[in-house]
Amino acid sequence: MSISMTPWQRTAHGANLLDASGQPGVTIFEEITALANQHEAINLGQGFPDTEGPAEIRQIAVDAILSGANQYAPGSGILQLRQAISEHQNRFYSLDIDPETEVVVSTGATEAIAAAMLAFLEPGDEVVTFEPYYDSYAAMIGLANAQHKVVQLKAPAFEPSIEELRQAVTDKTRVILINNPHNPTGTVFSTQVLNEVIALAHRHDCIIVADEVYEHLTFGIKHVPIASLPGGFERTITISSAGKSFSFTGWKVGWATGPKNLITAVRTVKQFLTYSSGPAFQPAVAKALDLPVAFFDGFASALADGAQLLAEGLENAGIPVIRPKGTYFLVADINGFRHSDAIEVARKMPASVGVAAIPLSVFVHPENVSSYQGLLRFAFCKKPEVLSAAVGKLQLLPEVLNR
């Protein structure tokens, strides 16, 4: 990276958004979405649900607007929501969180991630993430002028090598940033991996930022927050949001929890980003967090059904699938076909198949693209009828891959 880059250029460069001339280019997400719209294709590239969250929760937000909840919320979030977050962490994970000092509400998980990075990183500090990675991580690491080191997750298990993880984390590491359950691979990390991250954080005196927005979207296995494991809480900022758990992605209500010293730092930076947001949405999210366990189990079960429907459809077409353990996404492996460049295939699919997907290689460092070039990410957070229609169209994909 050129030392002459301005902060915005470092941000864009980190997220692979600059072209060869150093100017912002069209992202693959924009390109594929435009192609999907042009050809009226089913868009399984975008990771947002096409169903609404619970009606009773939406009504709370409507009532709050009509009742005057339209001015600034407290910078830390309304106490009702902070208490609900604390109670949620205790109910599901037996974590004892002080709603006064160990919770801050953010404008989506993305702001919490940004605030955490900007709060702790000095120029030249190292941040370790798993690769593939959610693009906002790389963008914020670039904005902070830190160095982004990766530990690759390789198909089909998408589990990191413990030895490679140990080599990546050094005394120069300031933050280990993990996403569990993991976007874009759909994996859920083992407690062995999580315990190793904790041990390395203690050994090298760094902090853990745990993006756990898919915490309730696991299939057949229980989510284990890294903060709930021995030695984890004291070094971990845990981030989640209402977007994924309740299908309210546009509300942009997220939060960070952790020990007082870490949350104070996040809150200090966050108040100069948005200060506060969503005063009418916050009481609704507080109520949503108190929904019965059956709601969370039912939502995860419905998503698992969607994953099963899409995976079987691809497999019936002869395309291997790496079955997800959680999130909105599954990965299809096209390496065995004549045309296995997923970027090229993704560009052809809207017109030739009528379905859009995203190549996994856009979530990696440029030098590592070849390790992921034959993998496609599909989103299954869609209505059953939409997925069924997509499955029908995807039977054409092998023909496209073998032309």
Side-chain angles (χ1 to χ4, degrees), residues 15 24 39 78 122 166 222 228 272:
H39 297 287
I78 65 171
E122 297 278 5
R166 289 172 179 165
K222 182 178 173 58
S228 70
F272 297 109

Side-chain angles (χ1 to χ4, degrees), residues 28 32 42-45 342 346-347 349-350 355-359 376-378:
I28 192 70
I32 297 302
I42 297 172
N43 193 344
L44 300 187
R347 286 171 172 152
M349 282 176 58
V355 178
I358 294 292
L376 281 168
R377 189 194 77 169
F378 291 85

Side-chain angles (χ1 to χ4, degrees), residues 17-67:
L17 298 183
L18 295 185
D19 62 21
S21 68
Q23 295 302 309
V26 176
T27 70
I28 192 70
F29 303 97
E30 293 174 296
E31 183 181 355
I32 297 302
T33 296
L35 288 170
N37 292 337
Q38 177 185 346
H39 297 287
E40 299 183 342
I42 297 172
N43 193 344
L44 300 187
Q46 293 181 299
F48 63 85
D50 59 1
T51 55
E52 296 290 346
E56 65 271 27
I57 304 302
R58 284 182 276 148
Q59 189 61 51
I60 293 171
V62 172
D63 292 343
I65 291 171
L66 296 177
S67 298

Side-chain angles (χ1 to χ4, degrees), residues 90-137:
N90 185 266
R91 176 163 65 126
F92 285 95
Y93 313 122
S94 299
L95 284 166
D96 187 13
I97 305 291
D98 184 348
E100 296 282 357
T101 62
E102 296 181 332
V103 182
V104 61
V105 177
S106 58
T107 304
T110 304
E111 185 190 35
I113 293 163
M117 295 295 100
L118 296 174
F120 290 100
L121 294 178
E122 297 278 5
D125 283 345
E126 292 183 354
V127 180
V128 173
T129 76
F130 294 122
E131 182 185 68
Y133 46 78
Y134 181 51
D135 53 3
S136 87
Y137 304 161

Side-chain angles (χ1 to χ4, degrees), residues 298-380:
F299 186 25
S301 178
L303 270 176
D305 290 344
Q308 177 83 356
L309 175 60
L310 181 58
E312 287 183 349
L314 285 162
E315 289 167 348
N316 288 339
I319 299 170
V321 171
I322 301 168
R323 294 289 184 119
K325 299 175 183 176
T327 77
Y328 284 167
F329 308 106
L330 61 75
V331 176
D333 186 344
I334 60 171
N335 279 295
F337 293 87
R338 180 180 176 189
H339 296 292
S340 59
D341 184 335
I343 293 178
E344 176 188 338
V345 170
R347 286 171 172 152
K348 290 180 178 179
M349 282 176 58
S352 59
V353 179
V355 178
I358 294 292
L360 207 67
S361 60
V362 302
F363 301 100
V364 308
H365 282 356
E367 61 269 25
N368 294 333
V369 164
S370 62
S371 298
Y372 302 93
Q373 69 173 5
L375 302 173
L376 281 168
R377 189 194 77 169
F378 291 85
F380 51 80

